[in-house]
Amino acid sequence: MSDMNELVQRYLAAWNETDAAARQAVLAEVFAQDAVYTDPLVSVRGRDGLDATIAAVQGQFGGLVFSLGGTVDAHHDIARFTWHLGPEGGEPIVIGFDVAVIGDDGRISQVLGFLDKVPAGA
């Protein structure tokens, strides 16, 4: 996947995929086997850890969807972007900012995530 915008869209698609087998297929497409994902709430290595993290987020925020919150800014092998989590077409209840590092194979090798807006009690 050479197009950074497409890669980020597929990344968000993984977070929205509720079917476990389909999500694992997207994760294999988008992430390196030993990719590292770190945000203020979790730090995991590998697709299985990321899959478990996504399943947990979906359990907590069922029915909500991730969407791109603006344009993807990228250079070299790094992309940064804002994402929203909320009802489809509605006001986001969570807003975050991720920085993704892309490996030589075109897959994401690392994500550093930040949370800008989180509802109380989440």
Side-chain angles (χ1 to χ4, degrees), residues 84-116:
H84 293 166
L85 175 63
E88 190 157 0
E91 186 71 24
I93 64 166
V94 181
I95 298 174
F97 177 90
D98 286 357
V99 176
V101 178
I102 315 308
D104 292 337
D105 65 355
R107 295 180 189 162
I108 297 172
S109 62
Q110 182 179 25
V111 174
L112 302 170
F114 298 86
L115 299 172
D116 298 324

Side-chain angles (χ1 to χ4, degrees), residues 15-103:
W15 284 89
N16 287 325
E17 183 55 65
T18 57
D19 178 84
R23 183 174 57 245
Q24 289 169 359
V26 176
L27 290 172
E29 172 190 345
V30 173
F31 284 91
Q33 180 65 37
D34 62 346
V36 176
Y37 176 89
T38 307
D39 71 20
L41 304 174
V42 67
S43 182
V44 296
R45 177 179 293 275
R47 293 182 198 140
D48 289 343
L50 185 54
D51 182 52
T53 298
I54 291 172
V57 169
Q58 290 175 350
Q60 184 175 5
F61 295 102
L64 302 181
V65 295
F66 285 88
S67 61
L68 192 59
T71 59
V72 176
D73 184 18
H75 63 81
H76 296 85
D77 62 350
I78 301 170
R80 67 177 180 161
F81 54 94
T82 298
W83 51 263
H84 293 166
L85 175 63
E88 190 157 0
E91 186 71 24
I93 64 166
V94 181
I95 298 174
F97 177 90
D98 286 357
V99 176
V101 178
I102 315 308

